[in-house]
């Protein structure tokens, strides 16, 4: 039984990371406040990925076992970085939500990762009797992982809505040419 305030519905599963990003961004644009920061996280398993993440997201954080490092604290040499692998990387974009070029390639090649737009403002849908909503709402694009961060094959896009507003999830999916493709999952 699900007990949180929100649920997530999958609207797309694909092997193409660019398609997953395009659908996720289209869903965010359905919001009445599309300018939102984006949370980015991934498990990186090679030195090149860590170096790219550090360059793309200078304000990022890295965890390796029980070691927590800021981007500027990461070792510079490949051999030293290799000793930290695998590394969990996390960052947040500015309020415009602009992702650095190459983000999709980084996440698509990571062991697992996600982009999460949280607290987006879903507009009212009068024909469904739904007012505006922004509590525990959002869009999540999972790359090579489930919504819970477990490894999986392919990429999934989920829309987060308030529990009991399944109609809103279906409405949002239709707005971007998709449908709900699976049962609800635990949301944020």
């Amino acid at each position: 039984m699900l007990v949180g305030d929100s649920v997530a519905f999958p609207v797309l599963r694909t092997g193409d990371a660019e398609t997953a990003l395009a659908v996720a961004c289209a869903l965010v644009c359905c919001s009445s406040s599309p300018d939102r920061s984006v949370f980015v996280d991934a498990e990186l398993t090679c030195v090149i990925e860590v170096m790219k993440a550090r360059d793309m997201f200078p304000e990022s954080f890295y965890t390796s076992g029980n070691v927590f490092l800021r981007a500027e604290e990461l070792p510079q040499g490949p051999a030293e970085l290799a000793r930290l692998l695998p590394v969990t990387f996390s960052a947040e974009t500015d309020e415009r939500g602009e992702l650095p070029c190459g983000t999709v390639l980084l996440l698509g090649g990571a062991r697992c990762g996600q982009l999460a737009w949280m607290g987006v403002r879903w507009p009212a849908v009068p024909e469904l009797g739904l007012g505006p909503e922004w509590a525990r709402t959002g869009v999540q694009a999972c790359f090579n992982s489930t919504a819970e961060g477990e490894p999986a094959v392919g990429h999934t896009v989920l829309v987060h809505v308030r529990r009991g507003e399944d109609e809103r999830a279906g409405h949002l999916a239709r707005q971007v040419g998709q449908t709900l493709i699976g049962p609800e999952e635990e949301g944020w």
Side-chain angles (χ1 to χ4, degrees), residues 5-7 9 122 159-163 165 168-169 172:
D5 289 339
S6 72
V7 290
F9 287 90
W122 295 135
V159 61
H160 290 253
V161 297
R162 178 176 290 283
R163 184 170 305 286
E165 293 190 353
R168 185 186 306 275
L172 289 164

Side-chain angles (χ1 to χ4, degrees), residues 20-93:
L21 177 63
V23 169
C25 288
L27 281 165
V28 172
C29 286
C30 290
S31 167
S32 57
S33 58
D35 291 340
R36 280 284 191 209
S37 62
V38 182
F39 297 93
V40 183
D41 64 70
E43 183 176 330
L44 307 176
T45 58
C46 79
V47 170
I48 299 289
E49 291 172 341
V50 176
M51 294 169 86
K52 285 180 184 176
R54 177 179 56 202
D55 291 345
M56 291 187 324
F57 296 94
E59 301 293 320
S60 50
F61 300 93
Y62 300 80
T63 306
S64 173
N66 60 359
V67 176
F68 180 79
L69 301 166
R70 295 175 185 267
E72 66 270 10
E73 298 170 330
L74 282 171
Q76 294 299 311
E80 294 86 4
L81 280 174
R83 286 192 280 276
L84 294 174
L85 297 175
V87 171
T88 301
F89 144 79
S90 61
E92 181 179 357
T93 66

Side-chain angles (χ1 to χ4, degrees), residues 19 27 37 57 63 75-77 95 107 121 126 129 141 156-157 164 169 185:
T19 299
L27 281 165
S37 62
F57 296 94
T63 306
Q76 294 299 311
E95 66 277 353
L107 292 173
R121 185 177 296 269
T156 304
V157 177
E185 301 180 21

